[in-house]
Amino acid sequence: IIDIHEQKEKATFDREKTIEEITDPGFKAMVSRDKGAFYLRRFRTFIPWIANPRINQEGLSLLGKRINEPEGGSRRRDFPFSFKKEDMGVVLAKGVCGEYTIRDLLDDAAYTGSLDFLNSRETTIQFIEDNIYRKTLVAMCKRLGAHREPSFSEAYKSSIESSTLDFFKRKEILPAIKENEDDLRVFYENNKKKYEVAESRKVSLIEVEDEQEAKEIRKKLLRGENFEALAREVSTGAGKKKGGDIGYIRKDQRGAIGRESFLVKKGEISETFKTTGGWAIIKVTDIKESYMPDYSDVKSSVRTDYRENQAQEIGRRIFNRNKEKFGLKILG
């Protein structure tokens, strides 16, 4: 499954100069001004060279062997293969923050809920390096005091809460959801309005910067001049090269253009109206009436919505079952 070879030499980078830069008081001042968001932009450029991950080929070879030979070890609930107790401390890589072991990899993989990174040597190494980068970034932020910045602390807290909820949903709620064809069809029938395809109208547009010019163009159209020809000649808006044709749109699309298209009948010329790009006149050339699609056409969406609905219901049951026991409260 996994074929791990020696990693090619990476490009060099002036680590000492970069370390000197980020430990300079001026750097910390910049961090304070940017209120934490600075890290995500600035560190992304040089964090690989600060972290300096060095892959241990022997450790990766053992990892590949255990994946290819799953029998004979203790099986973790999260993984379809086995490891021996002594495997846990085997070093896969070293970085500026220390060693990264098989135990670290298993913990990080369990948190993400995916083993896709084990499909190849490249993705395995990338997963290891990304987690070393993350640990290094956390250490650097703490060293510079970023965790004391109010906005950074709030963002971190929000991220932890969101990640915890996502983890709980993956591990406890989603596996409990069971559905069959009958369940999905009943859900579809009870929520048909949700899947209705709204009416749309095919619109041709002439858009110019000046209101008076738009009024003069409308007069020409009412006298019988060709809409498509005028659009190609004078329009500054979308669809100019197609004679003003901007395709089918719904009432809630393209702002004023969408709203105005539902005020005129097929074949009619609209009044002039204000848009974000200037002044416009439109003509509706076709109408697609709203309709209710068959279950088979929206089955994928029905299944997604059904599972989300079930997840919320299971979450409510878990909350109600534990609110008295643990004193749970809904804060917002």
Side-chain angles (χ1 to χ4, degrees):
I1 298 175
I2 185 169
D3 182 21
I4 302 174
H5 301 288
E6 187 170 0
Q7 189 182 25
K8 292 182 179 180
E9 187 69 22
K10 289 189 173 181
T12 58
F13 188 81
D14 193 340
R15 291 179 64 251
E16 295 303 321
K17 184 177 180 179
T18 304
I19 292 173
E20 181 181 348
E21 177 186 351
I22 67 170
T23 54
D24 184 271
F27 179 84
K28 187 172 182 179
M30 283 193 295
V31 171
S32 299
R33 286 198 301 272
D34 273 11
K35 302 299 181 184
F38 176 82
Y39 289 93
L40 298 178
R41 300 195 307 274
R42 184 74 173 101
F43 284 9
R44 189 178 292 115
T45 303
F46 55 71
I47 193 68
W49 292 278
I50 297 297
N52 193 27
R54 300 176 299 284
I55 300 299
N56 177 20
Q57 301 302 327
E58 292 182 2
L60 285 180
S61 296
L62 177 65
L63 175 64
K65 180 180 179 181
R66 291 293 182 257
I67 294 170
N68 287 309
E69 301 173 0
E71 300 301 327
S74 58
R75 188 181 299 276
R76 286 180 48 144
R77 180 172 64 89
D78 313 76
F79 299 94
F81 39 78
S82 303
F83 287 92
K84 297 178 181 179
K85 185 176 181 180
E86 56 267 29
D87 294 338
M88 296 297 102
V90 171
V91 176
L92 298 175
K94 293 182 180 180
V96 72
C97 287
E99 297 177 339
Y100 188 86
T101 66
I102 286 181
R103 178 181 288 105
D104 295 321
L105 179 135
L106 297 181
D107 289 342
D108 289 335
Y111 184 77
T112 61
S114 172
L115 297 173
D116 291 345
F117 67 90
L118 292 173
N119 290 338
S120 71
R121 171 185 64 88
E122 290 78 10
T123 54
T124 301
I125 291 176
Q126 187 64 60
F127 181 85
I128 293 170
E129 291 181 339
D130 285 346
N131 280 284
I132 290 176
Y133 299 156
R134 177 177 56 81
K135 295 177 192 301
T136 304
L137 177 58
V138 170
M140 290 172 68
C141 288
K142 287 183 177 179
R143 181 178 180 183
L144 292 170
H147 57 296
R148 290 189 290 272
E149 289 289 341
S151 60
F152 192 93
S153 299
E154 286 301 314
Y156 179 75
K157 178 182 176 183
S158 176
S159 176
I160 290 296
E161 291 174 351
S162 177
S163 298
T164 301
L165 290 173
D166 287 344
F167 180 80
F168 178 74
K169 185 176 181 179
R170 287 197 309 270
K171 295 296 182 181
E172 302 295 335
I173 294 182
L174 294 182
I177 298 174
K178 310 295 180 185
E179 84 268 1
N180 55 47
E181 193 69 12
D182 290 340
D183 293 331
L184 297 180
R185 287 185 178 277
V186 169
F187 185 84
Y188 167 75
E189 291 296 332
N190 291 338
N191 297 273
K192 264 191 170 182
K193 193 68 177 175
K194 180 182 180 69
Y195 305 104
E196 181 180 8
V197 178
E199 177 183 324
S200 61
R201 299 187 168 201
K202 191 174 185 182
V203 174
S204 289
L205 166 74
I206 294 177
E207 189 171 31
V208 293
E209 295 182 0
D210 182 68
E211 180 181 10
Q212 189 57 42
E213 183 183 2
K215 289 181 178 180
E216 293 300 322
I217 292 170
R218 184 173 186 273
K219 289 179 182 179
K220 292 180 180 180
L221 292 171
L222 293 177
R223 288 197 298 264
E225 291 201 30
N226 184 271
F227 194 103
E228 181 177 339
L230 275 173
R232 291 181 186 276
E233 179 185 347
V234 301
S235 181
T236 60
K240 173 182 175 68
K241 294 182 179 180
K242 296 181 179 180
D245 181 12
I246 61 173
Y248 288 90
I249 63 174
R250 299 191 307 270
K251 188 176 183 178
D252 60 351
Q253 293 178 319
R254 290 184 176 266
I257 297 172
R259 293 191 296 272
E260 196 70 26
S261 68
F262 277 71
L263 298 179
V264 296
K265 296 178 181 179
K266 180 178 177 180
E268 284 187 349
I269 303 298
S270 74
E271 297 287 341
T272 57
F273 60 94
K274 189 77 171 67
T275 67
T276 55
W279 289 83
I281 311 105
I282 61 171
K283 179 180 179 180
V284 174
T285 58
D286 191 30
I287 296 176
K288 287 184 178 179
E289 302 290 346
S290 62
Y291 69 95
M292 187 63 64
D294 293 334
Y295 165 75
S296 59
D297 294 331
V298 292
K299 182 178 178 179
S300 177
S301 296
V302 171
R303 184 176 185 274
T304 298
D305 294 339
Y306 174 83
R307 290 180 64 81
E308 182 62 32
N309 180 270
Q310 289 296 297
Q312 292 178 4
E313 181 58 35
I314 292 171
R316 280 193 291 269
R317 290 203 298 267
I318 292 174
F319 175 81
N320 290 329
R321 188 168 64 242
N322 291 283
K323 65 180 181 180
E324 297 297 334
K325 183 177 180 180
F326 297 105
L328 301 178
K329 296 180 181 180
I330 298 177
L331 301 179

